[in-house]
Amino acid sequence: MKPYRDITLSFAKLASKANNIDEHWGFICVAGTNEATVAFDVYKELTGQIKSYIDSFPLTFEINGVSATQEDIETYEQTPSAINNWKISLNKLPLIRVCHADGWRYNFFLNESTCLGWLQKQNPLLSECIFNSGEKNCIIVNNLSHCFGGVFTSFTSTDEKMTPRDQAEFSLPDRKKIRESLRIVTDQDISIFCPAYEVRIFGSSKLSQEFVNKASLALATSLLSEYYSFEKVIIDGFRRIELKLDDEKSKATEAFYRGLLELVDWIYSDRITIRKKLFHERLSLELSTNDSFVEALSRHSEKAIKQAKERYNFVIIDRKDAYLKELKELLKDVRAQSDLYANKLRSLLSNFLRDLLAALILIGFTIFTKFKDNQILEDIKLLDIVFFGLSIYYTFSVIMQSIVDTTDILISKRELTYWKNVTKELMPEEEFNHHIENALNPRRKSFIVIYMIVALGYIAIAISCYKFPMLLRNKSNEQSKQINLSTPSTHTNLSAPDKNKLEMKDSLFNTSQDKLSR
């Protein structure tokens, strides 16, 4: 900021020797007829100061009505008596656009009255207003009587050091929040950046008073229900009232300005629609259609905000009770629906597995009742098919039940996450997680252990069914061998092929008899 102070002081020194000064927000022109040597010195100072900020050179030097080059300037320095008039002009816009490392943009005015005239022309409701840009703007005013400033706006002097505030006292809404809450019905580009209008004032001056007036107008506009024009605004309380925004006659006091900051902070901090409605309801009881909105706020805002806060507490308590009641009922209904879906799915799977098992038993029973002595070898193969089918059934059963149960658990987890998000306003997330862990963790652990045991049981049964025909066949072969060894041979006189056929028939007959006895 120091180089900008130096630029301001250099122009102030030049202005003290000038006959004419023309200064605006983005332009300054200083002209004179005498003291040309001072003009040369100041021009050199400004050249070095400006080049330290920007590459372009927005400074011009006219001598005798003609724009002078560097060679002309050096020539006229040798013959200052040849100079009838001089003029140094600066386009300030390239300097204003530079955002410095500290996050601020700087501009300057040579005197307080010029800055005051510029500020009076500003419309704090329009997006083109410098305060609604959302940028940090510091305005240096030569010999400013009293400085004032905040996080986004600062008016300071060349001979005073005012450290900009790093943290705002109030939490004021940005442009987006205001547009969501305020209905704007106009062709004008209305865009209010409230944080820029929060400043701390160190002493009263015309400039600070004008800024308070503009800031109060912007803050008051953010409290409206509808904005049509400066002559027509709406507040929607117990009755819908149309009135002017401001009559531009009254001046906002610093106490009123601070009250507006507090009011806007409270309304926009939470449940904006409810808080604004409660404030409007109370304010509408006091308003007269002859009053402007800003004037009405200055008279009644203190009582209105106090009663609105009291009513808000009761409204929130009633709403929370009703909300909790509705939430409990909704939770019961949703839980019942969830259980219904889960039970239907489990019932469907159970019926399917039961019918499948019944079909396998019926097929197996039919096969066993049709065993004949001369078909035993073929029936042994059918026996393999039946028990292999049972093995597949038990494997399929445990897989399907695992899929259904796992899906049910995952859906239940998602439901818990959903209800956790729903109840965030009523119960902290940490407390919610604590209840869930204490209630469900033991059940979750026991479920995993028991489910693993049951699943292993299903797998063991499936393996047993798969292995059973093989074990049965091995046992039958062993019994046949024992019978053959214990029975004397009665076929010694038979030929070898006939003897083998008779032995196989005896063995199969014995096996059939043993199975039928079982």
Side-chain angles (χ1 to χ4, degrees):
M1 187 167 62
K2 185 178 182 303
Y4 279 90
R5 292 183 186 274
D6 294 339
I7 292 173
T8 307
L9 291 173
S10 296
F11 265 106
K13 181 169 64 174
L14 183 64
S16 65
K17 307 297 183 181
N19 302 108
N20 183 40
I21 303 172
D22 185 18
E23 185 176 20
H24 304 277
W25 171 260
F27 178 79
I28 182 172
C29 177
V30 181
T33 56
N34 301 318
E35 303 290 344
T37 54
V38 175
F40 286 126
D41 294 339
V42 170
Y43 180 79
K44 292 177 182 178
E45 292 176 4
L46 290 172
T47 300
Q49 293 162 355
I50 293 171
K51 283 186 175 180
S52 64
Y53 281 122
I54 55 177
D55 297 329
S56 61
F57 192 64
L59 188 68
T60 60
F61 194 177
E62 293 183 14
I63 300 175
N64 296 332
V66 180
S67 180
T69 63
Q70 187 61 37
E71 293 180 358
D72 295 336
I73 293 172
E74 293 174 356
T75 301
Y76 278 116
E77 277 189 293
Q78 302 300 325
T79 57
S81 59
I83 300 174
N84 297 322
N85 56 75
W86 51 266
K87 182 168 70 174
I88 296 179
S89 304
L90 174 65
N91 179 9
K92 296 193 287 184
L93 293 179
L95 290 171
I96 298 171
R97 295 191 187 104
V98 177
C99 182
H100 298 274
D102 57 2
W104 288 81
R105 300 176 189 270
Y106 294 91
N107 198 4
F108 64 91
F109 286 95
L110 294 183
N111 56 71
E112 188 172 343
S113 60
T114 306
C115 184
L116 177 61
W118 164 79
L119 185 58
Q120 288 172 338
K121 296 177 182 178
Q122 298 301 302
N123 186 341
L125 309 184
L126 299 180
S127 62
E128 64 188 25
C129 179
I130 189 66
F131 305 118
N132 293 328
S133 66
E135 305 287 347
K136 294 183 177 182
N137 294 285
C138 179
I139 301 172
I140 302 170
V141 183
N142 186 42
N143 296 326
L144 180 63
S145 56
H146 296 287
C147 298
F148 56 95
V151 175
F152 285 90
T153 304
S154 178
F155 287 79
T156 186
S157 176
T158 53
D159 55 0
E160 284 190 41
K161 292 182 178 180
M162 187 185 72
T163 304
R165 295 169 63 190
D166 294 330
Q167 189 171 1
E169 183 179 353
F170 301 96
S171 179
L172 301 179
D174 57 14
R175 293 180 291 260
K176 182 180 178 181
K177 266 192 174 182
I178 292 176
R179 278 195 168 274
E180 291 173 351
S181 173
L182 171 63
R183 183 167 179 254
I184 300 173
V185 189
T186 179
D187 293 335
Q188 294 177 308
D189 187 10
I190 304 297
S191 180
I192 303 171
F193 185 68
C194 286
Y197 295 101
E198 180 192 348
V199 298
R200 183 177 296 175
I201 300 173
F202 302 95
S204 178
S205 65
K206 290 183 178 180
L207 187 62
S208 63
Q209 178 62 57
E210 185 62 29
F211 182 83
V212 167
N213 292 340
K214 300 293 184 182
S216 299
L217 186 63
L219 295 170
T221 304
S222 70
L223 300 174
L224 293 170
S225 298
E226 299 175 15
Y227 177 90
Y228 290 85
S229 66
F230 205 81
E231 300 295 325
K232 179 184 176 181
V233 295
I234 303 292
I235 68 165
D236 190 10
F238 286 119
R239 53 196 179 110
R240 184 180 171 87
I241 302 177
E242 177 184 327
L243 60 165
K244 291 176 62 176
L245 178 59
D246 189 20
D247 56 12
E248 299 183 350
K249 296 178 181 179
S250 58
K251 295 182 179 180
T253 63
E254 187 175 346
F256 171 60
Y257 165 67
R258 299 289 296 178
L260 275 179
L261 289 172
E262 182 181 351
L263 175 58
V264 173
D265 180 13
W266 180 75
I267 286 180
Y268 281 90
S269 61
D270 186 29
R271 301 178 186 271
I272 301 170
T273 304
I274 297 175
R275 293 188 176 193
K276 183 181 281 191
K277 181 68 174 178
L278 291 174
F279 177 72
H280 284 175
E281 286 178 353
R282 184 61 188 85
L283 188 64
S284 64
L285 297 176
E286 306 290 342
L287 278 179
S288 170
T289 53
N290 296 326
D291 293 336
S292 68
F293 182 63
V294 174
E295 184 180 359
L297 285 176
S298 65
R299 292 180 183 176
H300 310 296
S301 62
E302 186 175 353
K303 292 182 180 179
I305 185 61
K306 182 178 179 180
Q307 295 186 13
K309 287 181 178 179
E310 292 175 354
R311 290 189 61 205
Y312 176 77
N313 292 332
F314 286 112
V315 168
I316 292 304
I317 290 173
D318 292 341
R319 283 177 63 86
K320 278 189 176 180
D321 291 341
Y323 177 72
L324 280 173
K325 185 177 179 180
E326 292 175 4
L327 187 61
K328 289 178 181 178
E329 295 298 326
L330 179 62
L331 182 58
K332 289 179 181 178
D333 294 340
V334 173
R335 184 69 263 175
Q337 290 293 323
S338 299
D339 291 341
L340 182 62
Y341 278 113
N343 291 334
K344 287 292 183 183
L345 186 60
R346 294 191 193 100
S347 176
L348 182 64
L349 178 63
S350 177
N351 292 338
F352 170 71
L353 295 176
R354 182 194 62 198
D355 294 341
L356 181 60
L357 179 61
L360 289 174
I361 292 175
L362 180 61
I363 292 170
F365 180 76
T366 302
I367 291 172
F368 283 124
T369 56
K370 291 186 177 183
F371 277 165
K372 294 181 180 179
D373 292 345
N374 58 353
Q375 294 178 334
I376 290 178
L377 188 59
E378 296 179 359
D379 291 340
I380 291 295
K381 294 179 180 179
L382 292 173
L383 185 67
D384 290 343
I385 295 173
V386 170
F387 278 93
F388 183 68
L390 285 173
S391 176
I392 293 176
Y393 163 78
Y394 284 115
T395 305
F396 176 76
S397 176
V398 69
I399 291 173
M400 286 298 297
Q401 291 185 67
S402 299
I403 292 173
V404 171
D405 293 338
T406 303
T407 304
D408 199 16
I409 291 172
L410 292 176
I411 293 174
S412 298
K413 282 186 176 181
R414 291 177 186 172
E415 288 178 356
L416 282 176
T417 304
Y418 169 77
W419 288 113
K420 179 175 69 175
N421 295 331
V422 170
T423 57
K424 270 185 178 179
E425 293 185 0
L426 306 174
M427 184 185 298
E429 184 175 352
E430 184 177 351
E431 183 180 349
F432 188 93
N433 292 333
H434 176 71
H435 290 311
I436 295 301
E437 290 176 1
N438 289 343
L440 297 183
N441 274 356
R443 288 185 176 274
R444 188 179 294 117
K445 292 177 181 178
S446 62
F447 169 80
I448 294 173
V449 173
I450 295 173
Y451 210 90
M452 291 297 294
I453 294 173
V454 173
L456 290 174
Y458 267 91
I459 294 172
I461 293 173
I463 294 174
S464 299
C465 289
Y466 180 74
K467 295 287 187 179
F468 181 75
M470 188 183 302
L471 296 174
L472 183 63
R473 188 179 295 109
N474 293 336
K475 185 176 180 182
S476 298
N477 292 335
E478 290 177 0
Q479 290 179 351
S480 297
K481 289 180 181 179
Q482 291 177 359
I483 292 172
N484 291 333
L485 292 174
S486 62
T487 304
S489 177
T490 59
H491 310 291
T492 54
N493 297 325
L494 297 174
S495 61
D498 293 336
K499 186 177 180 180
N500 290 336
K501 288 181 180 180
L502 288 173
E503 288 178 355
M504 183 178 292
K505 186 174 182 179
D506 290 340
S507 175
L508 293 174
F509 178 77
N510 292 331
T511 303
S512 176
Q513 290 297 325
D514 183 62
K515 288 179 65 178
L516 291 174
S517 65
R518 289 177 179 274

